[in-house]
Structures are given as C-alpha cells and as structure tokens.
Amino acid sequence: MKELIHIHTYLMDANEVGEWEGQEALAAEHINQLFHAVYDHADHDIEVTRLEQMLESVWPNWQYNPQLLELDDDMVDAFVEALFNHFDPEQGQEDF
C-alpha cells in the first residue's frame, strides 16, 4: 500500500519552512531527510492512513525545533523509531 503515497506531496523547499536565520535551505533539506526516512522505513504493506498520519506528524514535531539544523543520522533513526513505536496499532497511542 505504501506505493499509493507520493512522498513528493510532503517534501518542502526553503521558502516553505519559515524563518531559520538564513538556514532555510538546510532546514528544508533536513525535514525532507526525515520524510524520506519515515517513508523508507515503512513496510510495503503498511496501511495508507497510518503512513499518512506518520508523515503528517513530521513537520509539526520539527517546525520550531532548533535541532533540525543539527540533524544527524542518529537523530533521524531515533525519531523514526519513536514515530513508528508511537503509531504502532498495538501500542494504542493517539497523539505524537
């Protein structure tokens, strides 16, 4: 089901991320890295609505986080793991 979601729908460019003190291109690059990491980590048979919810939660969680500019692979991995744990249907959690 994953193939029904077009990741490009979620990707952002520098003029969409808001003010990052001249680092808007870097912020956009990093937020897109997170979107791709979530999408890539999802199983091919994931429910479309579940993956959409996860992708839609990426920006609100990073929108005002100054660490977005310092994003590294460890941070990406930790975020993706936390996101998938949170949206695990067996966990029963609602808000991330």
Side-chain angles (χ1 to χ4, degrees):
M1 299 301 225
K2 174 175 154 176
E3 67 276 358
L4 297 176
I5 295 178
H6 301 283
I7 189 67
H8 297 286
T9 303
Y10 296 92
L11 301 181
M12 303 177 80
D13 60 30
N15 67 354
E16 295 175 301
V17 295
E19 177 61 41
W20 287 88
E21 298 179 9
Q23 298 292 315
E24 291 79 13
L26 182 60
E29 179 183 332
H30 285 178
I31 199 68
N32 290 339
Q33 181 182 357
L34 288 162
F35 284 126
H36 278 288
V38 170
Y39 186 84
D40 292 345
H41 188 78
D43 291 334
H44 289 286
D45 61 346
I46 191 170
E47 287 183 25
V48 171
T49 55
R50 181 174 169 222
L51 183 52
E52 286 174 334
Q53 289 174 335
M54 286 191 284
L55 290 167
E56 289 168 2
S57 71
V58 172
W59 181 237
N61 279 281
W62 287 92
Q63 178 174 4
Y64 301 110
N65 188 337
Q67 288 186 320
L68 180 61
L69 298 179
E70 301 166 7
L71 194 70
D72 62 22
D73 291 340
D74 291 336
M75 292 168 68
V76 171
D77 292 343
F79 176 76
V80 170
E81 181 179 342
L83 187 67
F84 274 82
N85 285 338
H86 178 79
F87 281 95
D88 183 342
E90 295 178 15
Q91 297 289 332
Q93 298 175 354
E94 294 179 17
D95 293 329
F96 181 66

